[in-house]
Amino acid sequence: MAVRDIITVPDPHLKRVSRPVEAVDDALRALMDDMVETMYEANGIGLAAIQVGVDKRVIVMDLSDKRDKPCYFVNPVVTPLTEECKLHREGCLSIPDVYDDVERPERVEVAYLDYNGKVRKDIAEDLFAVCIQHEMDHLEGIVFIDHLSRLKRDRAVKKVQKLVRLRRASTATV
Ligand code: GNR
Ligand code: NI
């Protein structure tokens, strides 16, 4: 297992539509293992493969307090179950230090293949619903700031670019 680099906006990979997975095999499980390790290291609750530069329809998530219950979603399909939407403050590992409210349906159904390629279906509410919809957006090349005004989006990208430049400068001689 290995921690991979997480790409940040405005990396054009984040705009790519990810491609369906053809088989849940050992190579895919190795990717999913790396994604979980990368997510834990970054203290995230979810991660889409495109955030490590891989354009496959794969998501990992862990909403447990002890960070010991990783979940895997391959080729997920999300269907809203309510018209009611809820505002939730979101963040993204590809947009560090930016947080804002996004409105999304509050209950959704998610159909997917699990770590072993088994077909599964869950009902998602609360943070699970927020997170799976945030991750599904990544598979479609959408990030949460795309749901904000253009002014907020432009500001967020500039802030991230500045942060990344500073980080590079401070780690260049390590
Ligand atoms: O770690 C994350 N936290 C989070 C908080 C509120 C709404 C969505 C998320 S997902 C994010 C990790 C991430 O960037 N996943 O793509
Ligand atoms: Ni994200």
Side-chain angles (χ1 to χ4, degrees):
M1 291 225 277
V3 171
R4 303 198 189 190
D5 287 333
I6 295 176
I7 60 175
T8 55
V9 290
D11 189 312
H13 283 96
L14 291 168
K15 301 232 185 232
R16 283 257 277 275
V17 177
S18 292
R19 295 182 306 175
V21 168
E22 283 176 13
V24 182
D25 54 16
D26 287 346
L28 191 80
R29 279 185 281 273
L31 167 68
M32 295 194 286
D33 292 345
D34 282 2
M35 286 172 62
V36 167
E37 199 175 334
T38 304
M39 172 181 73
Y40 287 157
E41 208 248 357
N43 288 315
I45 57 172
L47 191 74
I50 197 64
Q51 294 179 276
V52 294
V54 178
D55 66 343
K56 292 184 195 292
R57 299 184 81 84
V58 177
I59 291 164
V60 298
M61 203 182 287
D62 192 336
L63 301 175
S64 70
D65 289 335
K66 288 156 112 185
R67 324 266 307 138
D68 59 355
K69 292 186 180 62
C71 298
Y72 307 84
F73 303 86
V74 177
N75 296 342
V77 178
V78 167
T79 314
L81 295 175
T82 58
E83 283 185 13
E84 275 115 281
C85 288
K86 222 174 168 176
L87 268 186
H88 196 282
R89 172 154 282 225
E90 299 197 15
C92 181
L93 296 173
S94 295
I95 316 170
D97 272 9
V98 174
Y99 304 90
D100 215 324
D101 288 338
V102 178
E103 195 178 38
R104 302 185 188 273
E106 67 177 331
R107 249 165 76 86
V108 299
E109 182 190 87
V110 50
Y112 59 100
L113 303 178
D114 69 9
Y115 192 80
N116 297 306
K118 192 175 168 230
V119 178
R120 289 190 178 273
K121 205 183 264 188
D122 291 335
I123 301 227
E125 296 177 319
D126 305 311
L127 190 55
F128 182 19
V130 173
C131 194
I132 195 71
Q133 292 179 83
H134 173 115
E135 304 308 341
M136 280 306 293
D137 270 358
H138 277 301
L139 303 192
E140 297 302 320
I142 296 164
V143 288
F144 86 89
I145 56 172
D146 293 336
H147 296 291
L148 308 177
S149 68
R150 188 163 139 192
L151 177 67
K152 282 188 171 183
R153 184 162 59 244
D154 291 349
R155 267 195 200 140
V157 172
K158 287 209 178 85
K159 183 175 173 184
V160 173
Q161 285 178 303
K162 188 172 167 187
L163 183 74
V164 168
R165 272 199 300 275
L166 284 168
R167 273 188 192 162
R168 288 217 178 98
S170 69
T171 54
T173 52
V174 174

